[in-house]
Amino acid sequence: MASGLLLGGAVAALVTAAMPAPQPGGIADPPPDKIVIDVATVNGSGCRPGSAAVAVSEDNTAFTVTYSEYLAQVGGNSDPTAFRKNCQLSLIVHVPQGFTYAIAQADYRGFASLQSGANAVQRASYYFQGSSQTVFKNHTFNGALNDNWQATDITDWANLVYAPCGVQRNFNINTELRVNAGSSSPSKVSFMTMDSTDGDINTVYHMAWKECPAK
């Protein structure tokens, strides 16, 4: 199932924005060696097998998840279960020896068409295998709206959670789109996507790096 999610094999080069500067003490420059990300599992109504892909930036400061079928909608002849779509990705991040990483920022983009009185929520959480799941971060959008949308989750440097050194722990990303009809006409459709008219949209996760203690 994972093989269909990989863009150009296990990893592909993608030029994206670098991490914000300056970096506080203890934060390392990105390692010079390439990182590789494999998709261990993918589950959810918003990302059936083959509809998501992962790529890593050339400077090792970010990776991107691309979706092609992530859409939630309500109203009209919509399926009653279509108002909520979700995706759970479990990623195996192979990092150069002596380094560990944390996710400092996540940028989400898509398109929303919301009738007057309708609303939508984009939410996400992130955690390493074996650790407690973080609290979901929510972004709400209100109709009337017919435009591209963007949402950003930022973690303060002091609160960054790094992968444990010396062991392999999968990094898990849980995302959700939810559309509510609210007071809008039941006959009119409202929808929200995490994709674009050309079939994909990039969700960028910015990485912070730190050197592991010497054994």
Side-chain angles (χ1 to χ4, degrees):
M1 179 172 61
S3 60
L5 297 171
L6 303 183
L7 184 62
V11 66
L14 180 73
V15 178
T16 60
M19 287 292 299
Q23 297 178 348
I27 305 298
D29 291 330
D33 297 332
K34 294 290 185 181
I35 64 171
V36 175
I37 297 179
D38 296 319
V39 180
T41 60
V42 56
N43 294 288
S45 54
C47 56
R48 68 176 183 84
S51 67
V54 177
V56 181
S57 67
E58 291 183 339
D59 59 6
N60 287 356
T61 60
F63 67 90
T64 299
V65 180
T66 302
Y67 302 96
S68 61
E69 298 182 4
Y70 206 153
L71 180 149
Q73 67 178 48
V74 69
N77 296 322
S78 302
D79 187 294
T81 64
F83 77 98
R84 177 186 177 273
K85 294 295 178 71
N86 75 302
C87 184
Q88 301 178 2
L89 291 174
S90 182
L91 306 178
I92 304 172
V93 182
H94 305 276
V95 301
Q97 186 173 2
F99 286 87
T100 184
Y101 71 95
I103 302 301
Q105 177 177 322
D107 301 322
Y108 296 92
R109 299 177 181 87
F111 184 84
S113 178
L114 304 176
Q115 302 293 332
S116 179
N119 62 81
V121 176
Q122 182 271 331
R123 63 193 319 224
S125 70
Y126 326 91
Y127 63 100
F128 292 103
Q129 180 184 11
S131 64
S132 299
Q133 181 166 327
T134 59
V135 175
F136 274 96
K137 297 183 179 181
N138 298 328
H139 300 274
T140 302
F141 302 85
N142 297 308
L145 175 65
N146 190 52
D147 202 353
N148 295 318
W149 62 268
Q150 180 172 342
T152 298
D153 295 339
I154 298 176
T155 301
D156 292 337
W157 289 106
N159 297 323
L160 290 175
V161 178
Y162 286 86
C165 288
V167 295
Q168 181 66 60
R169 296 285 176 85
N170 290 7
F171 179 63
N172 299 302
I173 304 169
N174 291 342
T175 59
E176 178 182 324
L177 296 179
R178 185 186 296 262
V179 180
N180 304 300
S183 60
S184 65
S185 171
S187 64
K188 294 184 178 181
V189 174
S190 292
F191 68 87
M192 186 175 188
T193 73
M194 205 179 291
D195 65 6
S196 68
T197 54
D198 61 0
D200 58 46
I201 191 71
N202 294 332
T203 297
V204 181
Y205 298 86
H206 302 268
M207 306 175 78
W209 291 95
K210 186 164 67 174
E211 292 189 36
C212 290
K215 294 184 178 179

